[in-house]
Amino acid sequence: MKKFFHVNDLGDLGAALEEARQVKATPFAWKHLGLDKTIMLVFFNSSLRTRLSSQKAALNLGMNPIVLNIGQDSWKLETEMGVVMDGDKSEHLREAIPVMTSYCDLIGIRSFAGLKDREFDYNESVLRQFIEYGGKPVISLESATVHPCQAFADLITIEEYKEKKRPKVVMTWAPHPNSLPQAVPNSFAEWMNAADVDFVITHPRGYELDPAFVGNARVEYDQMKALEGADFVYAKNWSCPGVTDPAQYGKVLSKDRSWTVDERHMAVTDNAFFMHCLPVRRNMIVSDAVIDSPRSIVIPEAANRTVSAQVVMKRMLESL
Ligand code: AN0
Ligand code: CP
């Protein structure tokens, strides 16, 4: 495996889930694979889970992780081509990428959407440069449009907790004070469409996700109706994807707290499990009562981030 951005990169999803079960059961069984191998984890943005779970996954495989925080530990990097570099950016990705990849065997990148220029973000312009100029296998650790390590961990978690063969999974938009990327909901939709689940998306009008990710998923604008009979409630905020009006891209169109997932919402589900990728803002995205309830599985969900990252790194090491 040379890149990990989309669900298709894993090939057969059932086989990948079986591999995840094995990795979780015996995490140190492939330590030989990473001997004398190095993974570089490059962060343009903050992270708790991705940073730690990626390092842990690499260590489980016997690999050496090197973590770089761009702009804090390193020079600030320019990402756009053709600009006169007279601002605060000291170095261009064009040089920084091949330099970084000369020191490693695999590379993971966290580079959030800028949420200013839809075309730049939806072309995955930063990640593309890592592929073009890096020449090493690339993992998206949340890039402009996708967060595949999260979505894979989410699917692993749903497989572990499901009480029905084909559970109903509802992804609901929830309010947040800031403008957040669409990477998490995009990937979750992509992965749920590929999985054997009954998938429904609910959000206020104007928050329609890119059709490339929504696929044939059902979209229901009435949140309570969408949640009826749900087995899993997956809450997430995202900013306006700008599908119908690119001028609205990245805007916060609503802060309607009636969308905050609380006991009233959970009451219409089939005793659903509550999920969120974290970090989560309590009493904005979800009420204290729901996230603290026994049906909240946000912590095991986060723990599975090590498992998803390890499967991906294992496959990349196997194909070096
Ligand atoms: C980020 C986002 O919504 O994409 C990271 C989530 C994993 N969240 C925040 O910036 C709060
Ligand atoms: N869920 C997730 O990716 O968390 P971090 O932003 O803390 O890495």
Side-chain angles (χ1 to χ4, degrees), residues 269-289:
T269 70
D270 192 4
N271 194 22
F273 289 106
F274 176 81
M275 300 179 72
H276 189 278
C277 64
L278 308 181
V280 72
R281 290 197 181 221
R282 284 171 171 253
N283 304 311
M284 282 297 298
I285 300 286
V286 56
S287 69
D288 286 335

Side-chain angles (χ1 to χ4, degrees), residues 49-50 110 112 142 147 150 176 180-184 236-237 277-279 281 305:
R49 278 143 291 274
T50 305
R110 166 156 288 197
F112 285 176
E142 186 174 336
H147 195 359
Q150 181 66 51
H176 192 284
L180 298 192
Q182 295 110 43
V184 170
K236 183 73 186 89
N237 173 267
C277 64
L278 308 181
R281 290 197 181 221
R305 290 293 307 277

